[in-house]
Amino acid sequence: MATSDPVYLRVVEDIRRQITDGSLPPGAPIPSRAQLTRKYQVGETAARHALRVLAGEGLIIGRVGSGHYVRERPDLTTLHRWRYLDHPTPFAADLQSQGRRVTWDWHSEPIDAGPDIARRLRLKETTPLTKTRYVYRADGRPLQLATSYEPLEFAAHSEERRSLVARMYAHGIKITEVVESVHTRVPRPAESDALDLAAGVHVLHVERTHWAGDRPVETSDIVIPGDRFRVTYSMPV
């Protein structure tokens, strides 16, 4: 794709502007390739590239046999990152408080820490851990992926689900701090499939670590669709 082609970029920029300012509202049809060539006086290749880029940005969607349409923008759901830390599943508790029906699947397996997780938990790379993968759904739709890593001694995943704070307390460990680092990124193919993401949608990646004093006792990678949620933090003063 000739991304520096000014002809094709002119089409992209004009349609993007119309979507952004509301001239083309959600659900509105996008001109066909033939219509774009006539309206903008460009070739069919430029028109095809323009539609491909707009779809890649998540601005339009294609429907087989029907053409392209402006993609609907879902209302953003607020996630309160600190409100339900003592709940076994804080994400589920937050959405349930908003009237959503939440279900989740989880699977645990033993692993060695490896270099990245060993660094985050300040352990040796060969330290045995429990890795737990979660898939959360609201009203049947997948909305969050999470992968948690804990030293094997703390992770009693064969038991009924309890909050991490409660499980650590049972081991005589008090959680004193939870640290989260948030960034956006392009989803991996498996994440796009698992979360049913539209083309062009990025994800919010939350790296969360529970600390007991100066010791990290659990770390997680949490992946959230960037077009469905706004993350809200409440910080005590």
Side-chain angles (χ1 to χ4, degrees), residues 78-157:
T78 299
L79 289 182
H80 300 91
R81 296 303 299 162
W82 301 113
R83 186 180 294 179
Y84 299 98
L85 281 177
D86 59 349
H87 192 278
T89 53
F91 176 82
D94 198 359
L95 290 186
Q96 287 166 346
S97 73
Q98 301 174 45
R100 310 285 290 276
R101 182 178 62 85
V102 183
T103 58
W104 60 92
D105 303 320
W106 58 276
H107 171 75
S108 294
E109 60 182 331
I111 64 165
D112 289 341
D116 179 52
I117 301 303
R119 173 186 57 79
R120 287 161 58 174
L121 289 176
R122 298 183 178 179
L123 300 170
K124 295 181 179 179
E125 294 184 15
T126 56
T127 301
L129 305 177
T130 293
K131 174 182 177 180
T132 306
R133 295 180 183 272
Y134 302 84
V135 179
Y136 293 90
R137 299 176 178 84
D139 303 318
R141 185 181 187 187
L143 288 183
Q144 178 178 280
L145 307 176
T147 306
S148 173
Y149 304 88
E150 301 173 54
L152 205 57
E153 61 190 287
F154 300 141
H157 290 292

Side-chain angles (χ1 to χ4, degrees), residues 138-175:
D139 303 318
R141 185 181 187 187
L143 288 183
Q144 178 178 280
L145 307 176
T147 306
S148 173
Y149 304 88
E150 301 173 54
L152 205 57
E153 61 190 287
F154 300 141
H157 290 292
S158 61
E159 300 177 0
E160 182 181 352
R161 297 273 68 190
R162 291 187 295 166
S163 74
L164 183 136
V165 173
R167 283 193 289 108
M168 291 297 170
Y169 185 78
H171 288 275
I173 295 172
K174 180 181 179 181
I175 299 299

Side-chain angles (χ1 to χ4, degrees), residues 40-88:
Y40 294 97
Q41 296 296 297
V42 299
E44 184 172 339
T45 298
R48 183 171 61 251
H49 284 174
L51 292 173
R52 187 179 302 165
V53 168
L54 291 165
E57 292 179 355
L59 295 174
I60 67 174
I61 58 173
R63 298 174 185 166
V64 177
S66 179
H68 290 82
Y69 297 82
V70 178
R71 190 168 70 87
E72 299 284 346
R73 293 288 183 176
D75 293 332
L76 294 178
T77 299
T78 299
L79 289 182
H80 300 91
R81 296 303 299 162
W82 301 113
R83 186 180 294 179
Y84 299 98
L85 281 177
D86 59 349
H87 192 278

